[in-house]
Amino acid sequence: MDATTVLAELSGNVATMGYGLAAIGPAIGVGIVVGKTIEGVARQPELAGRLQVLMWIGIAFTEALAFIGIATYFIFTN
């Protein structure tokens, strides 16, 4: 094995770990968004429909972070 092969393997492994760490943030974010929505519905049940719409929008924006993380994984593995 030459130095280039070792460097490529190391770069790929670091990118894999980076994406794994990047996936933690959106997971925590989605948990917080859903938890706060449940709290809001428990406090004011008449706003359940509006809060659910806002929850889905919040989840979409939070999951965009995961998509950015997977895109950077593919960028840095090449």
Side-chain angles (χ1 to χ4, degrees):
M1 280 178 42
D2 59 343
T4 307
T5 305
V6 171
L7 185 60
E9 287 295 321
L10 183 62
S11 175
N13 290 336
V14 170
T16 303
M17 290 185 317
Y19 175 65
L21 293 173
I24 293 171
I28 293 170
V30 168
I32 291 171
V33 167
V34 172
K36 293 296 180 177
T37 302
I38 291 170
E39 285 181 23
V41 170
R43 290 175 186 261
Q44 293 192 352
E46 66 274 6
L47 294 177
R50 183 177 288 174
L51 289 174
Q52 186 178 12
V53 170
L54 292 174
M55 178 191 71
W56 288 115
I57 292 171
I59 288 174
F61 282 128
T62 307
E63 284 299 319
L65 296 173
F67 291 134
I68 291 170
I70 191 95
T72 55
Y73 165 75
F74 285 116
I75 289 170
F76 289 124
T77 56
N78 292 331

